[in-house]
Amino acid sequence: MYMGGRGAAMKNSSWERRELIFLILYAIVFYAIIIRRSLQLSHDHYGKLRGLRPGWVSDRLNDVSDAQWRNFRGNLPLLTIVFGSFALVANSFRAYFHFKARGMSIFWLLISLTYLSYLHGACIIFILAISSINFLLVKIFAQTKYFSSVLWIFNISFLLCNRVYEGYSFSILGHRLAYLDNFRGTFRWHICFNFVILRMISFGYDYHWAHRDSRFDHKKHIQRCHICKSGKTCYHSLQERSVQNDKFSFSIYLCYLVYAPLYIAGPVLGFNAFASQLDMPQNNYSTREVIWYGIRWVFSLFLMEIMTHLFYYNAFAISGLWKQLSPLDVFIIGYGVLNFMWLKFFLLWRYFRFWSLISGIEAPENMPRCINNCYNLESFWKNWHASFNKWLVRYMYIPLGGSRRKLLNVWVIFTFVAIWHDLEWKLLSWAWLTCLFFIPEMIVKSAANAFQAENAFGHFVFRELSAVAGAVTITCLMVANLVGYVIGPSGINWLISRFLQKEGLPILGGMFVTFYVGTKLMFHIHEAKQRSH
């Protein structure tokens, strides 16, 4: 029996090695075709595309058609000087005056309000007014049964009104204040305020839960967490442990809402985690590790520059030229846009997190896994805007009932995510399509967890079915994100008819096979990581 089992294991291992070689060769050929065709598309159509500017790589044009990326890239030198100065001054004062939470909160509040005054001008009045009212409501209703209703109604009302009224006009407060509309700063305050709303809700719930018995077992957590075992403190522990009551002061609250390094784009950081690190700066990253983090970011920026000079994916998307392309080219543009978006947000979030780390505050890492290494919806969303996902789990998913009402919760949560991003039908379409695709995945995952493979054949069948399910999921993700960020809901019928025609069916089949191969390759990567641990 032992020899037979050993022989079967060796045979299985040999088959997996041959499979891995095939998968790698397929991936090389796939990316060679994608790169070659992308270069050709960019060369053939650059004259019809919007958003291209003179570049610095081999006299090629640069795709800066994405407004968010264009603004960030253009302001990068100034931002670096500003945040470098902020971090240097803050760390010097902390070291010299031995500031703790209260002292650091007042210091960072002064710095951050100066920063916000430049960004938003007189509109800082709206930010401070709404934030102050939220603070009062939390303090008044925190220990009542109406707390959750009051907190959510207040914040969602302002989330919607800020968008509908485009940040309001001072003239609505009276003719005497109308002149302030001439001093609205350089950046629309109500766009940044979406993140402030998440922080206001976080403060409210953390204060509410601080007055109740904690369900967090710190001793049990340390036994399971390799970070806390090593003498450091992980983010989960920082977030779950309530801070002392004096940390829920107005100065620390306001400092948390407008903390400069994370103000514009996050990552999203819970109040408990923020307040505790004002007292005791993060110790998970050494100076050497922070420097290496910055070097890796510079390398990623260089990669983005090469990508936008060679491939004009986003320019194709905003120019509407994809309607004139073949199904293969539509797939390539859609796939390229998703990779561009991933790298854009990767750079944005890691840049601001880098400055926060230097200043002593560790925020959760967004984009901890590459977009091309996710084969189910749950892992994709956990690894896209990961800090927002943690926020949604703590402040929405669990209060709504957690896994007991999972099928219902995803609809509420993704609708909120869509509205939080913007009031657009295409984002709501994206959210509801994602929910539709989530339902079969949850059912299949539940069935898979109950299934136990009793022999090698059963294991093989289960692995193949999982790969097919992964291919279906990736296809659904592509469709949902194409609708949300490229073609819009009006383009769904066009997309379906295009791929179901004679010319489109082979491409659809090729896409599915490619995603199947990609899923199998991800299995091998996951198994290799498990063996290394």
Side-chain angles (χ1 to χ4, degrees):
M1 289 292 290
Y2 171 76
M3 291 298 292
R6 184 179 177 184
M10 289 176 64
K11 186 177 179 182
N12 190 45
S13 177
S14 175
W15 161 249
E16 286 184 357
R17 279 198 299 271
R18 288 198 295 271
E19 181 188 62
L20 180 59
I21 291 168
F22 168 76
L23 295 174
I24 292 171
L25 289 174
Y26 187 99
I28 291 170
V29 171
F30 169 75
Y31 282 109
I33 293 170
I34 292 288
I35 291 169
R36 185 174 180 275
R37 185 58 189 157
S38 296
L39 287 169
Q40 189 66 48
L41 284 169
S42 300
H43 178 269
D44 291 347
H45 299 283
Y46 72 91
K48 307 170 191 173
L49 300 176
R50 291 187 284 118
L52 302 184
R53 300 287 185 272
W56 57 270
V57 177
S58 301
D59 296 322
R60 290 185 64 90
L61 294 172
N62 186 19
D63 182 358
V64 287
S65 56
D66 182 88
Q68 189 178 36
W69 174 248
R70 183 173 63 251
N71 291 333
F72 174 73
R73 184 178 179 271
N75 289 307
L76 191 55
L78 179 61
L79 278 172
T80 302
I81 292 170
V82 168
F83 285 125
S85 303
F86 284 176
L88 178 63
V89 173
N91 288 339
S92 299
F93 270 69
R94 188 201 293 269
Y96 187 78
F97 293 105
H98 305 289
F99 281 155
K100 292 295 183 180
R102 183 172 176 78
M104 285 308 297
S105 69
I106 293 171
F107 186 79
W108 267 113
L109 184 57
L110 292 173
I111 291 177
S112 299
L113 288 177
T114 304
Y115 176 58
L116 264 67
S117 297
Y118 168 76
L119 287 178
H120 308 313
C123 292
I124 196 172
I125 295 170
F126 293 124
I127 297 170
L128 294 176
I130 298 169
S131 302
S132 299
I133 296 170
N134 182 76
F135 182 80
L136 288 173
L137 289 175
V138 168
K139 290 289 185 173
I140 293 168
F141 290 98
Q143 298 184 56
T144 70
K145 62 181 180 180
Y146 309 110
F147 170 73
S148 291
S149 300
V150 170
L151 186 69
W152 280 104
I153 289 170
F154 177 81
N155 281 279
I156 289 180
S157 296
F158 273 103
L159 179 68
L160 297 173
C161 289
N162 291 351
R163 286 289 184 171
V164 171
Y165 294 101
E166 290 292 321
Y168 314 108
S169 168
F170 281 100
S171 60
I172 65 174
L173 302 176
H175 294 297
R176 291 182 179 181
L177 297 176
Y179 75 97
L180 290 175
D181 285 320
N182 298 318
F183 305 97
R184 299 187 70 88
T186 60
F187 204 85
R188 293 177 297 169
W189 73 272
H190 59 284
I191 303 299
C192 295
F193 202 77
N194 285 13
F195 282 98
V196 175
I197 280 175
L198 299 183
R199 296 178 195 124
M200 291 198 301
I201 293 171
S202 174
F203 171 81
Y205 269 116
D206 284 359
Y207 181 70
H208 172 66
W209 289 328
H211 295 85
R212 300 188 170 203
D213 293 333
S214 175
R215 297 179 181 178
F216 180 63
D217 190 332
H218 188 241
K219 290 183 179 178
K220 188 180 289 185
H221 170 76
I222 290 176
Q223 293 172 357
R224 295 179 298 187
C225 177
H226 68 279
I227 295 174
C228 294
K229 272 183 184 177
S230 67
K232 300 178 180 179
T233 309
C234 74
Y235 175 78
H236 183 71
S237 180
L238 287 171
Q239 181 57 73
E240 291 296 329
R241 284 191 296 176
S242 291
V243 294
Q244 294 174 341
N245 202 50
D246 63 329
K247 299 293 191 300
F248 293 96
S249 66
F250 187 64
S251 63
I252 295 177
Y253 163 75
L254 265 188
C255 174
Y256 168 60
L257 298 190
V258 298
Y259 175 61
L262 303 179
Y263 174 74
I264 290 179
V268 182
L269 178 69
F271 178 80
N272 285 343
F274 177 82
S276 60
Q277 290 181 92
L278 279 180
D279 245 347
M280 187 67 64
Q282 69 85 20
N283 65 349
N284 287 347
Y285 286 77
S286 65
T287 302
R288 184 178 178 181
E289 288 171 326
V290 172
I291 292 170
W292 177 238
Y293 189 88
I295 292 170
R296 287 171 59 197
W297 185 88
V298 171
F299 174 78
S300 301
L301 176 64
F302 177 73
L303 182 64
M304 178 62 135
E305 287 294 294
I306 297 298
M307 181 181 181
T308 54
H309 278 80
L310 296 179
F311 313 122
Y312 305 146
Y313 297 127
N314 198 70
F316 271 101
I318 69 157
S319 301
L321 203 64
W322 46 269
K323 291 181 180 178
Q324 303 170 23
L325 302 178
S326 67
L328 174 62
D329 292 339
V330 171
F331 162 70
I332 290 172
I333 296 301
Y335 181 70
V337 168
L338 291 180
N339 279 273
F340 164 78
M341 286 176 57
W342 181 86
L343 188 53
K344 177 188 77 170
F345 287 120
F346 176 95
L347 287 164
L348 283 167
W349 284 322
R350 293 207 175 191
Y351 178 82
F352 292 116
R353 184 175 185 263
F354 170 70
W355 287 114
S356 185
L357 282 171
I358 290 176
S359 304
I361 304 289
E362 180 191 357
E365 183 75 277
N366 284 332
M367 307 296 202
R369 186 187 292 183
C370 177
I371 188 176
N372 295 298
N373 191 20
C374 296
Y375 55 86
N376 62 55
L377 287 165
E378 191 170 350
S379 69
F380 176 82
W381 291 116
K382 280 183 179 178
N383 291 286
W384 180 269
H385 197 164
S387 65
F388 191 20
N389 179 269
K390 291 179 188 293
W391 186 95
L392 290 167
V393 169
R394 179 171 170 79
Y395 301 110
M396 284 194 77
Y397 181 70
I398 293 174
L400 284 170
S403 57
R404 290 182 289 109
R405 299 175 182 172
K406 195 170 185 178
L407 283 172
L408 177 63
N409 288 347
V410 292
W411 292 91
V412 178
I413 289 169
F414 273 96
T415 300
F416 170 77
V417 169
I419 293 171
W420 180 82
H421 277 91
D422 208 345
L423 292 177
E424 292 185 16
W425 276 113
K426 70 177 186 179
L427 286 172
L428 284 171
S429 302
W430 158 82
W432 294 335
L433 273 174
T434 302
C435 292
L436 278 175
F437 299 149
F438 244 123
I439 293 170
E441 178 177 299
M442 285 188 282
I443 294 169
V444 169
K445 188 175 284 188
S446 177
N449 290 335
F451 175 78
Q452 294 289 331
E454 297 180 356
N455 51 44
F457 179 74
H459 177 75
F460 170 79
V461 171
F462 179 73
R463 186 183 175 89
E464 292 303 306
L465 289 175
S466 298
V468 171
V472 172
T473 299
I474 296 170
T475 304
C476 292
L477 268 172
M478 280 282 294
V479 171
N481 285 287
L482 278 172
V483 170
Y485 298 102
V486 182
I487 64 176
S490 61
I492 294 176
N493 291 335
W494 177 89
L495 185 70
I496 292 171
S497 63
R498 202 82 169 88
F499 277 94
L500 292 182
Q501 290 176 356
K502 187 177 180 181
E503 183 188 5
L505 283 173
I507 304 302
L508 191 62
M511 279 172 51
F512 189 81
V513 170
T514 299
F515 293 150
Y516 165 83
V517 169
T519 304
K520 295 289 286 287
L521 194 53
M522 288 181 234
F523 289 169
H524 282 276
I525 293 169
H526 178 69
E527 289 160 5
K529 284 182 178 178
Q530 283 187 322
R531 286 195 295 269
S532 67
H533 291 313

